[in-house]
Amino acid sequence: DADDCAERALAFYNRGNSEDATREERRWALDECTRIAKDLDDDALIGRAMLGQGFVDGDDGIVHYDVLEEGLEYSLRANDSYVAACLYTNIYESSIDLLKLDAYTDRYDEFLAYALDHEQHTYSVCMRGSRVTELMRRGRNQDAIDLALATMEETISPVNRMHVGIGLSQAGFR
């Protein structure tokens, strides 16, 4: 047994996000990560642990938004722009995926501005891809197409191009 330290907490975090672990193993590992992070008073690590905890039941379509929001507060307090942008993106994207279209749509501009202001370009593109999907689901197909085409003009990775492109093609066919 090693002493509690950030590296040990991150090992638990990795196990908690492993597809090879059972849900119970993932939950236990993320709980251990959170316990250690809180014992160390490490806000950045607490935010990361809560990111994992928020999605531990994701296979059943359950997202613990209260946990994600709390993790976001810790990440912002720690000035951990990478995890904060990741949380903003995952909160918004999962709300669209679960058809909770009104849950965070009023915060889209805030979420996107944070990602852009903190040079988290990948997360800004992911958010815009989810926004394209939201607009398409609301029947605002031309707005979805316009956003997707504007985003495609940027230098983006193939996976992000695919994310935006799926929404673009769906809106275009409608």
Side-chain angles (χ1 to χ4, degrees), residues 33-108:
C33 177
T34 303
R35 179 192 62 75
I36 294 169
K38 286 183 176 180
D39 286 350
L40 296 174
D41 197 28
D42 186 333
D43 287 349
L45 193 51
I46 294 169
R48 183 178 297 269
M50 294 183 118
L51 170 60
Q53 287 178 321
F55 289 103
V56 75
D57 295 314
D59 291 344
D60 292 333
I62 298 169
V63 176
H64 302 282
Y65 289 102
D66 57 331
V67 174
L68 296 175
E69 289 276 358
E70 187 178 354
L72 178 59
E73 290 174 26
Y74 278 104
S75 295
L76 291 171
R77 188 167 46 233
N79 292 316
D80 187 341
S81 60
Y82 175 79
V83 173
C86 180
L87 279 157
Y88 274 136
T89 301
N90 279 281
I91 289 168
Y92 180 71
E93 185 170 347
S94 65
S95 72
I96 301 307
D97 291 346
L98 295 175
L99 301 176
K100 297 175 185 262
L101 300 183
D102 294 326
Y104 291 95
T105 193
D106 61 329
R107 295 183 65 194
Y108 168 79

Side-chain angles (χ1 to χ4, degrees), residues 114-128:
Y114 181 88
L116 292 169
D117 291 347
H118 291 83
E119 299 180 2
Q120 298 296 324
H121 186 254
T122 294
Y123 288 120
S124 77
V125 174
C126 290
M127 268 190 270
R128 286 178 277 166

